[in-house]
Amino acid sequence: MDSRKFVDPERTAKGEKRARVAMDRLDTLWINTGTLCNLACASCYIESSPTNDALIYLSLAEAEAYFDEAARLGTRTIGFTGGEPFMNRDMIGMMEAALGRGFELLVLTNAMRPMRRFETALARIGAEHGRRIVMRVSLDHHEGPLHDSERGEGSWEKALDGLAWLAGAGFRVAVAGRRLAGDAEAEAGYDRLLGGLGIAADHVVLFPTMDPDADVPEISEGCWDILHVSPSAMMCATSRMVVKPKGAERPHVVACTLLPYDSRFAMGESLAGALGPVALNHPHCARFCALGGASCSG
C-alpha cells in the first residue's frame, strides 16, 4: 500500500477530492458487546479472541441509553456484534430491552457454546418475538473443511447444530459467509447446504475477502459515477456502532462496524452528534464497501 494513501481526509494521494458519505437516516444502530470471543479466527477483522478485550463488555444500562436515543431518531433495527455477543452476560437483557422498545433485531453469532448456555431464555424470546429477530450465523464456507480452517477444527458441526437449533426455536435465521477467490458456486453451495438441513434462511450474505496487505484504490468523488454506486449504498449512510474501549469511562459512537479502533472514525458519545458525513479515508472503505459492495446489515 502506498503510504500516501488514506492519510488526508479531504484529498486522495492523487490530489482528488475524497468521497464523503452523508447520513441519510440512522436505520441500524450496531451495539458492539465486546471483542472477547470463544474463537480466534484466522482473519477476523476486529481481532476477536478469548483474550482480546480491547473493547470491553457494554452494560445493559449503557445499551439502554442508546436504545432510547435511537428510538427518538426513528431507528428501525438494533444490530448486535462482537466478538461473540453471547460472551456478554447482559446479552439477553439487551435483546429484551431493545425488543421492548419496538426494535427489530439482527444478532451476529457463531451459534456455539456461549449462545447455547442461554437456550432457555432464547427459546422463550424466540417463541414470543422470533419473527422480529434475525440470528445470523457465521459459516465461512459452504463446506466444512474450509470453515474449520478459518475457525478451528470441529467448529463447523457445532455451528450447524446451533443454526438448526435457532431455526427450531422460532427465529428467522441467516448465514454470513465469505466469497473466496475462484468460488463461482458460492451462492449455490450455500443453497444446497441449507436445503439439505431443511432450513429456509432469511438471507445469505457473502462478504469480500479482507486482505489487509492488498493494495486498493482510494475513493474520490468522481468514483461514484465510474463505479455506478450511490453514496447512499454505503453502510455509513444508514448505520453507526457503539463501542466501549478498554479503560474508557463511557462508550462512544463510531462511523462503521469495520473501524472500531481508528480514532479518525470516532464520532462522540451521542448518536445525535454522530450523524455527520464520513470521509472514506480507510482501505476498508474501498475494499469492503465501495468496491466490495458489502454491508454488515445484509
Side-chain angles (χ1 to χ4, degrees):
M1 183 77 70
D2 187 333
S3 62
R4 296 171 298 174
K5 287 184 175 181
F6 303 105
V7 174
D8 185 341
E10 301 298 329
R11 297 281 171 179
T12 70
K14 293 181 179 180
E16 299 168 321
K17 193 169 182 181
R18 185 175 303 284
R20 300 173 73 86
V21 173
M23 171 66 78
D24 280 356
R25 64 194 184 282
L26 184 60
D27 188 59
T28 303
L29 174 64
W30 287 94
I31 299 294
N32 188 296
T33 63
T35 40
L36 287 172
C37 184
N38 56 307
L39 300 177
C41 297
S43 55
C44 178
Y45 78 93
I46 203 171
E47 301 175 354
S48 296
S49 76
T51 59
N52 179 15
D53 60 350
L55 300 179
I56 60 175
Y57 290 146
L58 203 73
S59 72
L60 173 58
E62 290 167 335
E64 286 186 306
Y66 283 102
F67 296 161
D68 289 338
E69 189 177 7
R72 293 193 293 270
L73 293 171
T75 300
R76 182 176 63 89
T77 302
I78 300 296
F80 291 99
T81 185
E84 166 54 45
F86 289 98
M87 295 285 284
N88 188 322
R89 292 180 182 275
D90 278 350
M91 182 58 191
I92 294 297
M94 287 191 279
M95 291 178 67
E96 292 174 330
L99 289 166
R101 288 163 171 81
F103 294 110
E104 295 184 5
L105 306 188
L106 172 58
V107 182
L108 312 191
T109 179
N110 57 41
M112 295 173 68
R113 184 174 179 180
M115 185 199 79
R116 302 296 291 269
R117 64 180 176 156
F118 293 110
E119 278 189 5
T120 300
L122 283 172
R124 173 177 49 78
I125 291 172
E128 296 177 4
H129 306 289
R131 304 319 299 166
R132 292 169 53 200
I133 306 169
V134 175
M135 303 290 282
R136 184 194 289 168
V137 177
S138 299
L139 295 177
D140 283 296
H141 197 263
H142 49 85
E143 296 179 353
L146 285 173
H147 173 91
D148 279 359
S149 70
E150 172 69 25
R151 294 183 175 255
E153 186 176 352
S155 61
W156 169 255
E157 293 297 337
K158 293 176 183 177
L160 291 186
D161 188 63
L163 176 64
W165 185 87
L166 287 166
F171 294 99
R172 295 158 60 197
V173 295
V175 167
R178 299 181 188 230
R179 188 180 298 280
L180 302 181
D183 187 2
E185 299 296 318
E187 286 87 350
Y190 280 100
D191 286 344
R192 287 193 299 271
L193 170 65
L194 294 169
L197 295 171
I199 293 175
D202 183 86
H203 62 268
V204 175
V205 57
L206 301 181
F207 294 131
T209 301
M210 297 286 280
D211 182 354
D213 297 321
D215 193 14
V216 290
E218 295 182 282
I219 307 300
S220 67
E221 284 193 340
C223 289
W224 300 126
D225 289 337
I226 295 171
L227 297 171
H228 303 291
V229 172
S230 169
S232 63
M234 302 297 100
M235 282 198 295
C236 51
T238 56
S239 68
R240 293 290 185 264
M241 183 168 75
V242 176
V243 301
K244 190 176 184 182
K246 188 175 183 178
E249 291 186 10
R250 290 178 294 276
H252 69 264
V253 184
V254 297
C256 176
T257 57
L258 301 177
L259 301 170
Y261 305 130
D262 194 324
S263 61
R264 297 175 299 172
F265 295 88
M267 305 186 77
E269 294 181 4
S270 74
L271 294 178
L275 303 182
V278 176
L280 301 189
N281 193 28
H282 193 281
H284 287 348
C285 302
R287 186 179 290 122
F288 189 86
C289 296
L291 300 176
S295 169
C296 289
S297 296

